Amino acid sequence: MQAGTESTAGTPPGRGSWPPLPPKHSRSPQTLRTLIVEDNAGDALLVEDKLRRAARWSLTVQVAETLRAAEDVLASDEEQLDLVLLDMRLPDGDGLDALARILAARPNATVVVLTGLDDDSLARACLEAGAVDYIRKSALLGRDFVRTVDYALARSKNTRLKAELESVRRLAALGEVAAGVAHEINNP
């Protein structure tokens, strides 16, 4: 090596001392912990298969065939879930009531509603009630399903990050007030 030069092993000439980016294939996929709430075993299998074929995630799946079974999974403090895929017609609950029960069991859950119904007013009502997205089961055969899951996860993450940022801002403002009070007390 010549005097006055830095070692930039692994860095292309002319790039300075920036480290090279890791190759894309070296990243391990994110684990997507999913609860599928679906009473039709064929539909549950189709959903799981579509998620596995997407190859975006390392997938762990639990299937609950009833709303009660889903509530039990969600009530468990040990089970951290990234996604709940909720069928709107279950033996022990359906519609907005089913969604409300899921969100009552886990208020911050990322819930995507699955339905065989073609009802835009129900879709809108689900979104207003707290679902992150809504998809018709007929879309399970196309690309829209995986895209919907991707977008739902991204929206949910952004919502959580915004809430955390707001909390940090409030704490910072409180710290400034406390510092001002302390200054006034120490310097009457």
Side-chain angles (χ1 to χ4, degrees):
M1 182 168 13
Q2 296 179 348
T5 62
E6 287 186 332
S7 171
T8 55
T11 304
R15 293 285 184 152
S17 61
W18 283 92
L21 293 173
K24 287 184 179 181
H25 59 59
S26 71
R27 293 186 204 163
S28 60
Q30 169 191 354
T31 298
L32 182 63
R33 296 160 303 208
T34 305
L35 173 62
I36 301 172
V37 187
E38 171 64 68
D39 61 325
N40 181 311
D43 286 349
L45 188 59
L46 178 61
V47 167
E48 182 176 351
D49 184 60
K50 285 296 275 192
L51 291 174
R52 286 194 192 285
R53 287 177 185 250
R56 288 182 174 89
W57 311 283
S58 168
L59 192 64
T60 61
V61 173
Q62 285 186 285
V63 176
E65 293 181 356
T66 64
L67 195 51
R68 182 68 201 142
E71 289 171 319
D72 290 344
V73 170
L74 293 170
S76 167
D77 289 336
E78 300 166 12
E79 187 60 42
Q80 295 299 315
L81 293 166
D82 300 304
L83 178 65
V84 177
L85 297 166
L86 174 64
D87 182 18
M88 292 302 286
R89 298 275 181 216
L90 297 165
D92 58 343
D94 61 22
L96 294 174
D97 178 56
L99 176 60
R101 287 174 58 185
I102 293 294
L103 291 172
R106 185 73 59 92
N108 295 323
T110 301
V111 180
V112 174
V113 171
L114 301 172
T115 185
L117 302 174
D118 186 13
D119 184 348
D120 288 338
S121 64
L122 177 61
R124 195 170 12 267
C126 287
L127 296 173
E128 290 170 358
V132 178
D133 215 326
Y134 175 99
I135 191 162
R136 290 178 185 91
K137 287 184 180 179
S138 60
L140 293 176
L141 300 175
R143 292 182 179 164
D144 287 345
F145 174 67
V146 172
R147 185 178 318 130
T148 296
V149 169
D150 270 340
Y151 291 171
L153 292 168
R155 277 192 300 276
S156 188
K157 181 178 179 181
N158 286 339
T159 299
R160 279 192 303 275
L161 290 174
K162 285 178 184 178
E164 288 175 20
L165 180 59
E166 183 58 32
S167 179
V168 167
R169 285 182 179 153
R170 283 190 209 134
L171 288 173
L174 183 60
E176 288 177 19
V177 169
V181 169
H183 176 76
E184 290 298 319
I185 290 172
N186 292 331
N187 300 303

